[in-house]
Amino acid sequence: MKNNDSATLTASPVISPPGTGLWWGLLGVAAFSFTVPFTRVAVESGGMSPLFIGSARAVIAALLAAAALAITRQRLPRGVQWIRVAVVAGGVVVGFPVLTSFALTTAPASHGAVVIAVLPAATAVMAVIRGHERPPMTFWITAAVGATAAVVFAALQGGGLSGLHWSDLLLFGAVVAAAIGYAEGGLLARELGAWQTVSWALVLSAPLMIALTGISIAWQAPSGTTTEWAAFAYLAVVSMFLGFFAWYRGLAIGPMAQVSQVQLAQPVMSICWAALFLREELTWPTVLGGIAVIACAAIAVRARLDRTTSKR
């Protein structure tokens, strides 16, 4: 821990009250919990293509990020920080939004929320790898069981292992992308700042996302109802931008392992929103699958947290 103390002290507020990181993390999770159901709302009628939703929301968020960076005159990332910003961008700006947008054209929001419930454990695994930690065997076992539970759930919903759909593979890819982006972003936020990290990631990926948006519009002119455009606006402004202010700030204040636990509430919230806004039925397989995946993720994150705490 001593090797990281100086970086932590220079990047996070010294006077942050105990538990502040958890509250910021919970605020970010609450904002993200609407992402899956609102993405489903935006793509449901087919008026907006998945590529448009996944890329155009990043373009809008990038404009907001560029304005915020310019107004506050933030310093540019330096050297290897640009590579780390690119990793964050690849995970949370490009990978997760685009993959989930395509997946949710066919998968129900509640189904997607259960598969994505493995994300906390996946984030913890990436943080362990990135931080060169040696967690107990319990961590690896429960993380593996959680991932297996998510695969089994997706398979059973599709009618067996042969019934796994492309949407499930896209969701699992989205989980991996987000886990990498979350873990790297949480570390980088201690150096650049919370909102600055996601802002630079958005700006860096803007040329690619503008190109993808142009391609999507040429392929299919976007259209939609007021509700669908409102859902898209939320994805662009909150899910893609403002939510990361709170989430990365919480991870930066830390401890990261502890703050990441609040992410376990996200799939529960998402399933509830899907039932409330989309009138999706809460079937027993969905409920039991969600409980199994969330329980495994909770044990995995707790095992890592206990190991981290015992070393202090």
Side-chain angles (χ1 to χ4, degrees), residues 37-62:
F38 281 3
T39 300
R40 179 64 178 167
V41 170
V43 302
E44 194 166 20
S45 70
M48 287 181 271
S49 70
L51 183 59
F52 173 81
I53 293 170
S55 57
R57 75 197 225 188
V59 173
I60 294 174

Side-chain angles (χ1 to χ4, degrees), residues 49 51-52 55-56 210-222 229:
S49 70
L51 183 59
F52 173 81
S55 57
I210 290 173
L212 291 177
T213 300
I215 293 172
S216 69
I217 294 175
W219 175 29
Q220 174 188 333
W229 281 112

Side-chain angles (χ1 to χ4, degrees), residues 38-274:
F38 281 3
T39 300
R40 179 64 178 167
V41 170
V43 302
E44 194 166 20
S45 70
M48 287 181 271
S49 70
L51 183 59
F52 173 81
I53 293 170
S55 57
R57 75 197 225 188
V59 173
I60 294 174
L63 292 174
L64 297 174
L69 291 169
I71 291 172
T72 57
R73 298 183 180 180
Q74 296 296 314
R75 69 173 180 83
L76 292 169
R78 299 174 183 174
V80 73
Q81 287 180 335
W82 279 115
I83 299 177
R84 298 173 65 190
V85 168
V87 171
V88 176
V92 302
V93 178
V94 181
F96 187 83
V98 173
L99 292 175
T100 53
S101 294
F102 276 97
L104 291 170
T105 57
T106 55
S110 56
H111 178 95
V114 172
V115 175
I116 294 173
V118 77
L119 181 55
T123 301
V125 169
M126 293 302 174
V128 163
I129 296 173
R130 182 66 176 81
H132 305 290
E133 300 175 12
R134 293 183 178 179
M137 185 58 65
T138 305
F139 171 83
W140 295 110
I141 292 175
T142 52
V145 171
T148 302
V151 173
V152 170
F153 167 81
L156 291 177
Q157 291 275 289
L161 287 176
S162 61
L164 278 174
H165 299 147
W166 274 108
S167 60
D168 296 312
L169 300 180
L170 292 173
L171 288 170
F172 285 123
V175 166
V176 174
I180 294 172
Y182 282 171
E184 190 62 47
L187 294 172
L188 190 57
R190 296 176 178 177
E191 302 171 22
L192 298 179
W195 69 268
Q196 293 91 333
T197 296
V198 69
S199 293
W200 285 119
L202 286 163
V203 170
L204 183 63
S205 60
L208 171 62
M209 304 314 278
I210 290 173
L212 291 177
T213 300
I215 293 172
S216 69
I217 294 175
W219 175 29
Q220 174 188 333
S223 63
T225 64
T226 302
T227 300
E228 290 167 349
W229 281 112
F232 172 78
Y234 184 94
L235 295 174
V237 177
V238 180
S239 296
M240 202 78 245
F241 188 53
L242 296 180
F244 283 101
F245 279 45
W247 179 240
Y248 278 149
R249 179 169 176 77
L251 290 177
I253 295 173
M256 189 185 299
Q258 188 174 19
V259 173
S260 67
Q261 289 184 102
V262 301
Q263 198 177 20
L264 295 166
Q266 183 173 331
V268 178
M269 294 180 183
S270 295
I271 291 173
C272 290
W273 303 144

